[in-house]
Amino acid sequence: KGKPLSWNNRARSTVDDSTVTGATSYISGPTTPARGKQPKGDFFSSALAYPEIDGVTPVITMFEQGFTSGTMVITGMTLAGTPGRLAIIGGTGEYGGAAGSVGLSSTRPGTTRLAATFWR
């Protein structure tokens, strides 16, 4: 049975690095509770957007999601401009060996809501 966990990431710094294969964005910032006593921490993410293929833009994303009780590693591919889910592929501390998925949604410019279901 999966354990739900929701949080918000607020971008503090953003760096874009465009190359021949696509555009890479590096974003970091603080993590805050979405509700209740959820954990706080910091995050770092990278997103590589590939050139458009048949009207869609594939984006590969990786999060190193830090919390006060450990770190969760999240990665996967979504399509630009569509809601997506990414896989939880492990972590440290309370999230060591975690598996599951995370849904991403934008709440306002610079803030992303993440809602996970995970298990160990």
Side-chain angles (χ1 to χ4, degrees):
K1 188 172 183 178
K3 178 180 177 182
L5 180 66
S6 298
W7 66 94
N8 297 303
N9 283 345
R10 292 195 170 94
R12 180 172 44 216
S13 64
T14 303
V15 177
D16 292 322
D17 179 24
S18 295
T19 63
V20 175
T21 57
T24 305
S25 297
Y26 303 97
I27 302 170
S28 64
T31 296
T32 59
R35 63 180 179 267
K37 297 179 181 178
Q38 307 277 337
K40 295 182 181 181
D42 291 302
F43 76 97
F44 172 82
S45 70
S46 64
L48 175 59
Y50 286 92
E52 186 179 308
I53 302 167
D54 293 331
V56 296
T57 303
V59 180
I60 295 179
T61 305
M62 188 285 302
F63 278 94
E64 181 179 312
Q65 186 67 58
F67 298 116
T68 53
S69 58
T71 301
M72 188 182 285
V73 180
I74 303 163
T75 191
M77 182 168 58
T78 58
L79 302 176
T82 62
R85 293 200 70 78
L86 300 174
I88 299 170
I89 60 169
T92 64
E94 183 179 332
Y95 309 100
S101 66
V102 174
L104 307 159
S105 61
S106 223
T107 57
R108 59 183 166 268
T111 302
T112 303
R113 167 78 47 94
L114 294 94
T117 301
F118 74 99
W119 54 92
R120 297 190 284 157

